[in-house]
Structure formats: C-alpha cells, structure tokens
Amino acid sequence: MRLAIISDSHDHIPHLRKALSLARERGAEVVFHCGDLISPFMVPVLAEFPGPVHLILGNNRGDPHLLEKQVARFPHIHFHGEFAFVEVGGLRIAMVHYPELARGFAATGDYDLVLCGHTHVWKTLQVGGCLILNPGELLGKEGPPTLALYDTEERRVEKVEF
C-alpha cells in the first residue's frame, strides 16, 4: 500500500490540488495531512481524494469548530484533532504537527511510523524501529512544495517535489 503524506498547506488550494493529483497518479490509497490546513474551505478540496484522508490540527488552526462541521460532510475524511493514532497497511502510525512531540512518540517504541509537519522542511529520522517523517510543506514558502509517498510493504519513502 502507498501512503501520501502532506503538511502545511496554509490555504493554498492550487498546491493542495496538485499534491492530491500527484498522490493519485503515483498510486497512493490513503492521505495523511499533518496539520495547518487552516480554513474550512480547504476541506472540499481535500475531499477530492477518493480514499481515506486523515487530518489533524496544527498551530494555525483557523476555526476548528467550522472545520469539524465541514469534515462531517465527507465520510472518508477523518478529523482527529491534535493527534492521530491509526493502523494502516499493517503499520502503527502516529501523527502530530510538532517534530519535538513526534520524537517522543517514536521513542516509545509503540509506532512504526510517526508523521509530523510544522517546520516546512523535509526531514526523515530513524529512532529505533520507527521512522519519523516530515513531508515539508505544500505552501511553497521555504522552497518548492513537497509531499512524501510511503510504501508500507517495502517501508520506503519517496520525496516528491513540484
């Protein structure tokens, strides 16, 4: 199974659409958004992805109440709040916006993959048997927009820049 990991879209509709299109083209079945989606008007764009989407808040929250109401319209989008803890493709996955907290989750040994964002910078870090993955940003503030594709069988990550 292939996972698409994105973060820090900051209301940039064209970049979110492009990332979701690339994810579909490359065979992603599930999307994880690691925070800072921000506005409720971004949810219908996120819903264009046909498979499950997991979404958390970041530090730029917009209006969480309206975001939750918008997400409720799309049964394939799962809004987890601050953190997400899910099992997908046989992997135990945690998602949190902040890299400092991601390192803490990884250190517990309870997860195979921990996803984070916030820094707008692509980074991977191995902590014991857990990979911490920050896909960078969709906004394009710190450089070209990036997303990550993760193969759950090969446990291999690919950086996609656009």
Side-chain angles (χ1 to χ4, degrees):
M1 172 181 278
R2 295 194 95 190
L3 312 176
I5 300 99
I6 57 179
S7 190
D8 295 278
S9 50
H10 290 270
D11 291 344
H12 200 301
I13 290 173
H15 287 177
L16 179 58
R17 263 206 182 101
K18 178 69 174 175
L20 295 173
S21 175
L22 287 168
R24 288 174 68 179
E25 287 171 16
R26 296 183 184 212
E29 298 173 58
V30 180
V31 168
F32 288 85
H33 192 299
C34 302
D36 284 358
L37 180 77
I38 304 179
S39 297
F41 64 73
M42 294 290 282
V43 174
V45 178
L46 197 58
E48 293 172 9
F49 187 80
V53 176
H54 296 276
L55 171 66
I56 60 169
L57 291 169
N59 60 300
N60 290 291
R61 298 168 174 276
D63 185 329
H65 176 69
L66 287 178
L67 188 65
E68 189 170 22
K69 283 180 73 172
Q70 185 75 299
V71 165
R73 298 176 46 221
F74 304 99
H76 69 293
I77 299 181
H78 308 281
F79 180 49
H80 298 275
E82 297 287 335
F83 313 104
F85 305 100
V86 298
E87 190 168 316
V88 175
L91 296 179
R92 299 163 300 156
I93 301 171
M95 182 168 53
V96 59
H97 189 61
Y98 302 101
E100 299 82 13
L101 294 176
R103 283 193 294 276
F105 285 130
T108 68
D110 293 340
Y111 305 99
D112 303 300
L113 182 62
V114 177
L115 309 173
C116 63
H118 187 59
T119 64
H120 293 231
V121 177
W122 170 276
K123 185 174 183 177
T124 61
L125 177 66
Q126 193 72 38
V127 176
C130 180
L131 178 68
I132 300 174
L133 172 57
N134 184 331
E137 62 170 344
L138 290 186
L139 178 60
K141 177 179 157 258
E142 300 298 327
T146 56
L147 68 126
L149 295 172
Y150 187 82
D151 186 306
T152 62
E153 292 177 24
E154 296 180 17
R155 295 195 179 198
R156 185 177 45 86
V157 65
E158 174 188 356
K159 179 180 182 181
V160 179
E161 230 176 62
F162 61 96

